Amino acid sequence: MSVTARNLRLLPWFVAARGGLVWLPVTYLFVAERLGAEAALQVSAAYYLAGIVLEVPSGWMSDTLGRRPTLVLAGVAQVLGGLLFAFGESFGAFIAAQVLISASWAFVSGTDTSLLFESLEAEGRGGELARQESKLMTASLASLSFASLLGGVLGSIDLRWPFFATAAYGAVALGLALALRDAPTTGAPAPERGMLVRLRGRLFDPVLRWVLAWSVATYVLNHLPFEFLQAWLSVLGAAAERPLPADTPMLSGLTYAGLMLVGALVSARSGALRARLGRGASLAIAFALQLLIVAAMAAFVHPAVLALLLLRSVPMALTRPIVAELVHPRLDDRLRATWFSAMNLVGAGSLGAVLWLGGLWLGEAPVPEASALRSLLLALGGLSAAAGLMLWRAWAKSPPPVATDETA
């Protein structure tokens, strides 16, 4: 078996191991129980703000030093972050742990999809990119679903246990990363221009410019239900006069598990859905669904909203392969991971600022005021809707074609 063929066999397993976010359903609850809601949201914000510092350097490292060393560092960072959370007690320790978890994702960001594309190209299977991206997305979401359920179960026993499990998943990802190998590159000489100059130059491509703006807007919007879910569930529990956090970790874990499972099922069939709907309609439906979920959370604190929340991962399952088709052929091997990292940097920085300010809005109480949470979500949803309308008008005016090697 060739090196690239082995990569294609191992990558879904690596992505699944990276999907072991057992900490996800309990991090807000864990920190809020000790330090309050404001600190809990600020710890969450640290994840995204750290991306500002880490995203582009990690992409540069991937493009310059190789995909495999970058993925190995991702596994190491996940192990250390999980353990620091589990043993930490102070705000500083939790911030440091969150930065490590952020680093683990920053090192993967752009690197996994670049290794997939380059391995497919080496095998002469470049036309399979969208299908293989859907396969990786399915593996990731299915793993996230199980990990979220596991986090709810473990968190209902002890809120520290999910962080030990996160470290264990990271150790598995580390082992798989060590088994991967870089795919052959084009062998092009190192570019004379600096990385930032080359990134800025790609902004003259109208398609890449549109994808960047769209990706940032959807990154923030798609993460709002994710990041505010535990606060929303806390408000729901308080309204039902249930003690916090006695049953919230399990409910949180079940909700995260359900939305990831639905996303995995849609991802497995996303190729047929995109073919039937078309790229433009797929993007529009995905954005509208994201807005609907945020609007429902803002309007109602009621268990019925949980059914709608199960659709949260569907937009990502529909649109990630479209982004890959639009972006990959327009970039060379020495810029590909850096570009994806740059997109995530802007999105993570924007979301981090939103969460930090949101923490100030909600205050220090472990359970925020329902009116404060609802007004915050309503304001953020309104801003997202305005951005989405402008982006859709630009798409409708000039739909970008899928690039080929000849048009890149």
Side-chain angles (χ1 to χ4, degrees):
M1 179 183 294
S2 67
V3 167
T4 49
R6 183 173 63 180
N7 286 345
L8 296 175
R9 181 171 60 86
L10 291 178
L11 269 171
W13 292 102
F14 172 80
V15 168
R18 287 288 301 121
L21 307 188
V22 192
W23 54 268
L24 188 62
V26 302
T27 302
Y28 173 90
L29 301 172
F30 179 69
V31 179
E33 184 183 57
R34 289 157 174 78
L35 303 175
E38 180 180 350
L41 279 179
Q42 289 175 346
V43 168
S44 296
Y47 175 95
Y48 299 102
L49 295 176
I52 296 175
V53 178
L54 298 169
E55 277 287 1
V56 169
S58 68
W60 173 87
M61 177 180 176
S62 176
D63 287 331
T64 305
L65 302 181
R67 313 303 184 200
R68 178 176 177 267
T70 309
L71 295 178
V72 167
L73 280 177
V76 172
Q78 182 171 337
V79 172
L80 295 178
L83 292 177
L84 185 55
F85 253 125
F87 290 111
E89 293 289 348
S90 66
F91 181 74
F94 296 148
I95 290 289
Q98 195 71 294
V99 169
L100 282 167
I101 295 292
S102 178
S104 74
W105 279 93
F107 285 126
V108 173
S109 171
T111 299
D112 55 349
T113 186
S114 296
L115 182 58
L116 172 66
F117 176 78
E118 291 155 9
S119 296
L120 286 170
E121 287 287 297
E123 291 290 308
R125 296 163 57 186
E128 299 180 23
L129 178 62
R131 183 172 67 84
Q132 292 292 337
E133 283 281 1
S134 294
K135 183 177 178 181
L136 292 190
M137 179 65 69
T138 301
S140 176
L141 291 172
S143 176
L144 279 165
S145 177
F146 177 77
S148 297
L149 181 60
L150 180 61
V153 172
L154 295 177
S156 65
I157 300 171
D158 189 318
L159 286 172
R160 291 186 185 274
W161 286 14
F163 298 103
F164 287 115
T166 297
Y169 265 96
V172 174
L174 174 59
L176 288 167
L178 289 168
L180 294 168
R181 293 293 183 273
D182 284 2
T185 63
T186 59
E192 296 180 1
R193 294 179 297 167
M195 184 68 73
L196 292 179
V197 174
R198 296 171 64 223
L199 281 173
R200 186 178 61 187
R202 301 313 294 156
L203 289 175
F204 289 101
D205 183 323
V207 175
L208 291 178
R209 191 167 60 242
W210 186 92
V211 171
L212 173 62
W214 187 88
S215 297
V216 171
T218 55
Y219 187 100
V220 174
L221 181 59
N222 198 48
H223 279 78
L224 294 181
F226 226 58
E227 297 300 332
F228 288 100
L229 176 59
Q230 292 171 55
W232 188 89
L233 288 174
S234 298
V235 172
L236 176 65
E241 298 182 353
R242 295 170 181 167
L244 179 78
D247 60 354
T248 308
M250 181 59 73
L251 181 57
S252 178
L254 287 171
T255 304
Y256 280 114
L259 64 88
M260 294 299 182
L261 180 59
V262 172
L265 294 174
V266 171
S267 180
R269 296 163 177 79
S270 61
L273 285 172
R274 288 192 305 275
R276 177 175 297 182
L277 295 171
R279 286 184 292 133
S282 296
L283 294 172
I285 290 171
F287 200 91
L289 182 55
Q290 291 171 330
L291 279 176
L292 178 62
I293 293 171
V294 173
M297 292 178 70
F300 309 103
V301 179
H302 190 278
V305 178
L306 294 174
L308 187 60
L309 277 164
L310 295 179
L311 301 177
R312 180 265 172 188
S313 293
V314 171
M316 183 169 53
L318 277 175
T319 60
R320 175 169 168 167
I322 295 174
V323 170
E325 285 182 324
L326 291 171
V327 171
H328 275 301
R330 290 181 165 85
L331 301 170
D332 61 70
D333 293 345
R334 295 180 181 274
L335 191 62
R336 187 168 290 115
T338 304
W339 178 268
F340 276 95
S341 290
M343 287 200 305
N344 287 334
L345 180 152
V346 181
S350 301
L351 181 60
V354 165
L355 292 178
W356 195 273
L357 294 173
L360 298 176
W361 187 312
L362 296 183
E364 298 181 356
V367 181
E369 291 290 334
S371 59
L373 179 60
R374 293 169 67 176
S375 61
L376 176 60
L377 289 172
L378 183 62
L380 295 173
L383 291 173
S384 298
L389 179 60
M390 289 188 292
L391 288 166
W392 175 248
R393 290 180 64 183
W395 176 284
K397 183 177 180 180
S398 180
V402 175
T404 63
D405 291 337
E406 288 75 22
T407 62

